Amino acid sequence: MTKARDIADFKFENITDTGTEGTRVALGTTAQRGSTQGQLRFNTTTGLAEYYNGSVFKSIDSPPTVSSLDTTLVDSNAGGNQTIVITGSGFNTGATVTFIGSSANFNASTVTVDSDTQITAVAPKSSFLNAQEPYGVKVVNLSGLSATLANQISVDTSVAWSTSAGSLGSVLDNATGTHFTVSATDADSDTITYSVQSGSLPAGMSLNSSTGAISGDPTDVTSATTSNFTLRASTTHANADRAFSITVNPAPINIDYLVIAGGGSGGGSHRAGGGGAGGYRNSYNSETSGRNSSSETALSVTSGTTLTITVGAGGSMPSGGAQGVAGNASSIAGSGITTITSNGGGGGGTYESDAPSGTFGSGAGAGQDTNENQVGSDGTAGQGFDGGDTQQGNNLQQGGCGGGASENGAGGGTTSNASGGNGLSSSITGSAVTRAGGGGGGAYGQGGKGFGGSGGGAQGGWKDSSHGSGVVSPLSSSYYFPQSGTANTGGGGGGMSGSQSSGTSYGSGGSGVVILRVPTAQYSGTTSGSPTVSTVGSDKVLIFNGDGSYTA
């Protein structure tokens, strides 16, 4: 028996290895595998021990474990790939990664085994479907052993803002309620909540986290104030930020007014017409304005606006029997407003004359003529009424009466007493005061007496003391001078009676007045011209009997 034969015939049974280092088995690459059933070897390609069962080689390995992922939310509409780092143990080179949906799975497009405890897997974001969430992850080693970590990855799409970035607009500091509403959408119809991420809303305003409504009463400001802030729209899994701004402007100051011009004088010779009342314009508390028109709209001004006040003087009685003189206009002017102007009252017609023509607050009465009818002048819409006409007749020696703020002046040329048109009452100062009455016509011979209209209208001149006491005309002791319109009412002056005037103050129109009513909370206290200032309820009342100004 040869030595080789002896070794070949030598058989081992129930071998026992008593060493401590281990028994070395055959090793080689995958390409060097044998084909005998029962072969045991170490595969240097896979790094695993393996055995051949007669059909395939089986790797000998322990299963991996998966403990966590670094990504738990994927935006499937964002485009590109999603990189996911998997942490665990027992990961082998050549391992595969599968994402497990509720009813469908897909493999990672690339898998890198970084170490025994980490794998980096990459997959298209679009492969993650919302209908399949939440996804689990499965790692399979080359041995076929695997580990799965379920319900790890949610799928969502980014929240999309519908409201454009930038300025949401402006709001007045006295505004209340909802001013703006921001909105965003979510493709998955998830509930969206809104919050302020940075900056702040204007003081006094708040954000409704459910509806995106921005509401409230902004804190008062003295100039335009812009607040910049970033809002966040959030779902359970996603959020989006956007920058906005809101500008708060100071609320305009509403100022009511009563503007009355100077009244016209009466005519300067016998049988003369009475002067018309100064124009009457009123915005206060829905009170009636001139010519029984609707109340005007209060002024709306910003802080710092200066209102220039002009108070018209009454027309002065002319000398030498001339036509009456119109009163002067009163007005409020200022930046950003339409000037409020009340026209002066018309001057009365003199003997045998129509009243002078022109544009007047209230028209004046005509002078009386023995042979012809004469015509009074017209008032202006929204300011005052017309003056009275006269009838011809030698025994009807009475001038027409001036128009007032609330009615026409009575016609002359009668033996009955007549009156100038009544004025209007206003409570802008806190108590009712009537202003802008028309002047009475002058009475001569058998003519009836001409009384002034309520609201400062003056009585016309008259004959003898049976009509009342007064100042006797120096040109004729039988006649009395007319009265003048009441100062700061815009009342019309009375017409001359039986002689010519000599330029006296009798029969002059009353001066006008401008009254402002300002909320006390917004009153600046800055005035010129020394108006009378008082407090009425929650307002300040400024009475200008002469020119001046008020700065809001």
Side-chain angles (χ1 to χ4, degrees), residues 364-378:
Q368 200 270 335
D369 188 345
T370 300
N371 301 310
E372 294 182 359
N373 295 338
Q374 302 296 330
V375 179
S377 57
D378 295 335

Side-chain angles (χ1 to χ4, degrees), residues 255-279:
I255 301 176
D256 278 306
Y257 58 84
L258 176 61
V259 180
I260 301 175
S265 76
S269 185
H270 51 291
R271 313 184 198 181

Side-chain angles (χ1 to χ4, degrees), residues 265-273 316-325 347-351 475 481-482 494-503 506-507:
S265 76
S269 185
H270 51 291
R271 313 184 198 181
S316 58
M317 175 61 76
S319 61
Q323 298 275 51
V325 177
T350 193
Y351 175 56
L475 302 179
F481 278 132
M496 287 295 291
S497 56
S499 61
Q500 293 184 355
S501 69
S502 57
Y506 303 105

